[in-house]
Amino acid sequence: MRRLVSALLLSAFLLVGGLASPAAAHPMSTSAVLLDIRDDRVEGEVQLPVDRLAIAVDRDLTPTSVLGEDRSFLKRYTARHISAVGEDGNPWTVGLGTGSVRTIDGTAHLVYPLTIRPPDGQVTDFRLRYDVIVEELLTHKVIATVRYDFDRGILKTDDAETLGVLDWDTKSLLVPAGEGSWLKGFATTAGLGIEHVGEGADHLLFLLMLLIPAPLAATAGRWRTEGTGAIGAIGAIGVTGATGVAGGAGATGVTGAMGVAGGAGSTGVAGVAGAVGGAGGVGVSSPRRSLLRVVHVVSAFALGHSLTLALAASGVIHVPSRPVETLIAFSIAVSAVHAIRPLVARGEVLIAAGFGLVHGLAFASLIGDLGLDRGSLVTTLLGFNLGIELTQLLVVALIMPSLIVLSRTPVYPAFRIGVAVVGLVFSVSWMLERATLTAGDPFEGAQTWLVGHPLLVAGAVAAFAVAARLRCGAPWTAAGR
């Protein structure tokens, strides 16, 4: 008897396990209703698993037949089982587009584009009634999701909001299409601008390459700390010959005053070269002028990318993304070379404005990919642009004080050239990858780490600046070479 009981228990266990395994490995497919809320209509799509649909309509359906002999029947069937009613009780118009077959989670689905229009052209809260398939299958589920609603800040897949589940017992649900405001959408697009630049290594590196030479002045094809004289030959005592003309007149520095020869006396000894001696009268560059140049650079970049962002997002111009991304990498290479040795006086402003036009095209392609232009275009552009500018200002605030301090130390030429070379290497790697000349970017890991730890990077640069400043002593030494 005990053996019989054990055998029965074992058989029951194996039976349950055998039945449960297939269910666990192949979960029952579900339908989906995806909604995009606009000002005057609701768009989206209906996703129907072909296997469940076949049971509901009692037909042998295949991915081929649903687009062939069964196409008209299935479209009529689906349309009969979807309706929408406004808050005032008036029905809204529901339309289905041409169906297609798509594999979702390994299962073939019949997908219909969906359009719902209110009679007065103003989308508000409405009730969606839906019982496709669920009218016949008690166990079938339909997941309803809002994937886009500008006024509620739902702009991309990660923001999608599940409204609820429709089934045999629940065949309608309320869609809160009238909630939210333009301010919510504005704040969300600003956040997307911050996110895009903050996570974009190429945009950040381009900005950094432009900031590196900002504390310096281009003189005779070299970078020098503004306001430094040529220290050493100035302030020497000149000894005259018989004519009493002073020797060793003050040397001319970058902005240092020409030394004035001492008058020859009867003894033949000249006065001190350099009317008021000192190192050409100046040895420190002005932080104010450095910050002014930063303002010029950031403003030029903002003007450039804002112009093309507006034109591309509104559809006035269109450029394929691959050449745009390649040109962005090239812009970093040009700015890196300029940081090593000035290409032209005030070249960083010209580079920022010119290549800012290219970066704006990349920003516009992001808006197009996310579908942000389906909302208020002006609000979207303003919000997205605000996010970009806020991120740029944050980068400047984090890194520029350290660069100004470093520029007054002897180590800045080596630091400037070293960072610029790294930027040049990264940019060349990006150009090769984006031009499909290489299979991948070997420096991607390092780039991802640097972008992912901005505070650590800024802190390391600040600590290096402080250490260099303390090591060089009290005077702020000219660093340009």
Side-chain angles (χ1 to χ4, degrees), residues 26 29 51 102-109:
H26 304 284
S29 53
D51 57 349
R102 190 187 309 162
T103 300
I104 302 173
D105 295 333
T107 301
H109 283 65

Side-chain angles (χ1 to χ4, degrees), residues 452-474:
H453 301 81
L455 295 180
L456 186 60
V457 173
V461 175
F464 180 68
V466 171
R469 173 70 181 84
L470 293 176
R471 182 178 178 82
C472 78

Side-chain angles (χ1 to χ4, degrees), residues 57 70 86 137 148 207 212 215 302 311 339 361 424 432:
V57 300
D70 295 311
L137 292 182
Y148 177 87
L207 181 60
I212 288 176
L311 292 175
L361 294 174
L424 184 60
L432 294 175

Side-chain angles (χ1 to χ4, degrees), residues 15 29 35 65 79 96 178 188 201 232 234 271 314 318 353 375 385 391 431 439:
L15 179 60
S29 53
L35 303 176
S65 69
L96 295 179
T188 303
I234 303 176
S314 58
H318 174 73
N385 232 10
T391 307
M431 276 192 286

Side-chain angles (χ1 to χ4, degrees), residues 20 25 38 46 102 125 129 148 201 207 214 218 234 250 274-275 280 314 323 332 375 377 411 453 463:
R38 301 193 186 185
V46 177
R102 190 187 309 162
D125 294 355
R129 295 173 179 171
Y148 177 87
L207 181 60
I234 303 176
S314 58
I332 299 169
L377 181 60
V411 303
H453 301 81

Side-chain angles (χ1 to χ4, degrees), residues 107-128:
T107 301
H109 283 65
L110 177 59
V111 179
Y112 287 113
L114 174 68
T115 303
I116 303 174
R117 295 180 181 274
D120 60 356
Q122 184 64 43
V123 173
T124 58
D125 294 355
F126 68 95
R127 183 161 291 278
L128 176 67

